[in-house]
Every structure is written in structure tokens, then in C-alpha cells.
Amino acid sequence: YPDDGDNAETLLKHADTAMYHAKSEGRDNCQFYNIALTLQAEKRMHLENDLRDALEKQEFFLVYQPQFDIAAESFQSVEALIRWNHPKQGSISPLDFIPLAEENGLIIPIGEWVLRTACQDAARWHQQGHCLEVAVNLSPLQIKNPGLVQSVLDILAETNFPPEKLVLEITEGALMEHNENTLSTLHALRNHNIQIALDDFGTGYSSMNYLKRLAINNLKVDQSFIHGLLDDDDNLAIVRAIISLSKNLGFTVTAEGIETLEQAQVLKHFGCETLQGFYFSKP
Ligand code: C2E
Ligand code: MG
Ligand code: MG
């Protein structure tokens, strides 16, 4: 008082805002209130409200990033990435709205929309003679959703898209709880010939024991290792180790975030199968 409020109600409200900030910074710390926190919270609230209508208003669209198959020397697959065309703020990154959609559960209908749209688009390419695989990102919440397998099967039937051409990307984070339900969901998807890729590999805490029980086809090495590949021996060693581990476990390897020819050459030399990044094409 008086900087952060001149009455009890305002002071308590702002103290509360500071407390939420402290919690979001990992708890067990001290934070002071400042006006930026209120502005940030308001922005978030507005964004969340807008997100509720975005599906209905058809503000989402998908972009596709091609993935280069080294053996075939051509693009055999694409990854679907969501974009939100906000009426006032323009294009909003999934990194900014997916976490919100995960908090309020909207990720379930949004995720279904992504899957349906990607399968529709890819089915159309197949009809035109381009038999590409399509990879779709799944949020951990979707994997925990008991209706996931049926929903994927329904969408495949509805769009007439072959299951073996669909790749579902899950992150290591989604597997961190080492939950038996997750394992059986992945097995059920594999039993229907749907492919599973483990995205952003190397950033989470996968136990090797768990990894070997997973019904996955492909590991995607996280971009952070690729970016520093040529000027950091540690990254080089890590990427080599991931590739050799994957081969021994029977998975194929995709490297993400390839921005230069040199990076592509090194990864080819190490035996990586698929390359994805701005060097080949932006999404
Ligand atoms: P991700 O699945 O790991 O996707 C790769 C991200 O890296 C994409 O960012 C892509 O544009 C970017 N990228 C690709 N090549 C390069 C490169 O050479 N250099 C750099 N610096 N970046 C590159 P984007 O589209 O912003 O997506 C970010 C993340 O948002 C995705 O990471 C994924 O986790 C999530 N996401 C995107 N679309 C969806 C979706 O439909 N559903 C869910 N649940 N998550 C999604
Ligand atoms: Mg991905
Ligand atoms: Mg990734």
C-alpha cells in the first residue's frame, strides 16, 4: 500500500495474482505484484474465451511440413501442424494456445478436428496419386482420453484413409507417468496398423525399460540436439547414441529441425532415416 492498491479488496486481489505467479514459477519462491501480471492474466483470459469459439468460427487451419526419406530420396510423409488465425491478433503459435486448450479440455474437440482434417486432406492427395503418410500430433490429454482409439478408427473410416499411412506423434512427456492405460492404448492403435512416433525425444525422462515395452515405430530426435549438432561434440554424441539405440530397439529415426545441408549430411552418415526441417521446407 499504496503502490499496489489503495483498498483492502484490490490489495488482496493483487496479492492473489502474485501468489499464482509464484506457483507458476515452480512454487517455493517469493514474487511481488506488478501491473504486467494483471495484464498477462487478462490477455490469457481473453485468449481462452476466444479459443472456445475458434473451432465453430473455423479459425483453425493446418499446415504440412514434408519429411525427407533418405533411402527413397524423396518426400514420403508430412507432419500436420495447427495454426490459429485470430481475428485481431493474427496467426497464433500452437505453443501459445495448445497449453491453454489442454488446461480447459478444449484440446479434445480441437484434436479431433486436426485428425479429421489431416486425414481428409491426405485422402485427397492419395486420390491424386500422392500416397503420402500423414503425421498428427497428439496431446497427452488425448492419449489419456478413453475414447481415443474409437475416435481415431471412426475418423479413418469416415475419411476412407488407410490406417498404415497415419502416424500419431506423442511426446515423451505423455509417457512420463508410465501408466498401463497408456501402454494398452498404444498397443490397441498398433494392432489397428496405425503408426506411433515418439516426438521431441531426448527432452523428457524416458526409462529405457519403459521404452522397450512401448509399441512405437519411430523416434523423433528433438531439435535442440540438431541445432547445436556441428558445434557441440556432446550433441553429436547424443544424437549418435539415440540413433544406435533406436536401431537396436527396431525403431526408425527422424531428425527434426534440420536447417543446413551440413546437418543433413551428418545425420545421413549416422544412419538416420528421415529428415525434417526448414532446410527442406517450412511447414
Ligand atoms: P513438434 O511436433 O515438435 O513440431 C515441430 C515444430 O518445429 C513446428 O513448430 C515446426 O514449425 C518447427 N520446425 C520445423 N522445422 C524447423 C527448423 O528447421 N527450425 C526450427 N527452428 N523450427 C522448425 P510449430 O508448428 O510452431 O509447433 C510447435 C509445437 O506445437 C509442435 O512441436 C507440437 O508439439 C505442437 N503442435 C502443433 N500442432 C499441433 C496439433 O495439431 N496438436 C497438438 N496436440 N500439438 C500440436
Ligand atoms: Mg510433432
Ligand atoms: Mg518435435
Side-chain angles (χ1 to χ4, degrees):
Y1 172 90
D3 290 353
D4 293 340
D6 58 7
N7 59 65
E9 198 190 339
T10 311
L11 284 168
L12 279 172
K13 201 172 92 191
H14 290 169
D16 205 40
T17 305
M19 179 187 73
Y20 276 107
H21 181 51
K23 283 187 175 171
S24 75
E25 293 291 297
R27 298 168 179 262
D28 209 12
N29 68 86
C30 171
Q31 297 289 336
F32 289 94
Y33 173 78
N34 67 62
I35 181 74
L37 291 180
T38 297
L39 295 176
Q40 216 179 328
E42 279 173 359
K43 196 174 155 201
R44 204 183 150 83
M45 207 177 69
H46 289 145
L47 207 62
E48 190 173 344
N49 281 336
D50 294 344
L51 195 59
R52 289 184 195 284
D53 303 327
L55 252 187
E56 211 170 301
K57 290 188 179 159
Q58 304 189 327
E59 290 168 2
F60 294 121
F61 62 98
L62 296 184
V63 289
Y64 295 92
Q65 187 173 35
Q67 299 178 325
F68 187 77
D69 182 306
I70 295 178
E73 296 186 327
S74 60
F75 297 111
Q76 299 290 327
S77 52
V78 294
E79 176 174 7
L81 296 158
I82 193 170
R83 296 290 179 265
W84 179 13
N85 188 10
H86 189 278
K88 288 198 195 107
Q89 296 181 40
S91 183
I92 302 180
S93 158
L95 296 174
D96 292 326
F97 71 84
I98 294 285
L100 269 183
E102 285 174 336
E103 260 170 50
N104 60 25
L106 282 171
I107 190 66
I108 301 295
I110 294 175
E112 277 188 21
W113 177 85
V114 172
L115 192 63
R116 180 172 293 109
T117 309
C119 289
Q120 273 166 356
D121 286 345
R124 204 176 52 248
W125 302 329
H126 281 214
Q127 280 168 7
Q128 296 165 351
H130 309 292
C131 284
L132 293 166
E133 288 182 356
V134 69
V136 173
N137 292 286
L138 286 192
S139 143
L141 231 72
Q142 289 174 274
I143 297 160
K144 280 195 205 144
N145 180 11
L148 175 75
V149 178
Q150 195 53 49
S151 150
V152 173
L153 294 177
D154 289 347
I155 289 173
L156 286 170
E158 187 188 309
T159 56
N160 202 12
F161 191 68
E164 68 277 9
K165 294 285 184 185
L166 176 64
V167 183
L168 296 177
E169 294 195 1
I170 57 177
T171 55
E172 258 189 302
L175 307 172
M176 231 112 98
E177 290 164 28
H178 297 191
N179 182 317
E180 288 301 322
N181 288 339
T182 307
L183 281 181
S184 60
T185 299
L186 295 183
H187 278 285
L189 292 166
R190 288 292 303 122
N191 287 339
H192 285 98
N193 291 327
I194 294 157
Q195 303 187 57
I196 310 286
L198 195 52
D199 203 357
D200 302 344
F201 186 76
T203 57
Y205 301 89
S206 289
S207 92
M208 295 299 146
N209 203 20
Y210 192 66
L211 201 61
K212 107 186 156 196
R213 292 174 60 206
L214 283 177
I216 61 171
N217 306 83
N218 173 259
L219 273 188
K220 295 187 81 172
V221 184
D222 191 64
Q223 310 195 3
S224 53
F225 302 112
I226 308 299
H227 291 161
L229 191 67
L230 296 170
D231 27 57
D232 183 341
D233 287 346
D234 290 344
N235 280 339
L236 212 62
I238 291 171
V239 172
R240 272 186 108 141
I242 294 178
I243 294 173
S244 114
L245 172 84
S246 305
K247 293 211 176 254
N248 287 314
L249 290 174
F251 313 144
T252 57
V253 191
T254 301
E256 287 192 284
I258 310 277
E259 294 184 352
T260 66
L261 175 63
E262 290 73 25
Q263 289 167 344
Q265 283 167 334
V266 168
L267 286 153
K268 179 181 175 184
H269 177 72
F270 285 172
C272 184
E273 278 98 349
T274 311
L275 305 175
Q276 177 181 0
F278 294 169
Y279 173 71
F280 297 97
S281 171
K282 293 214 165 171

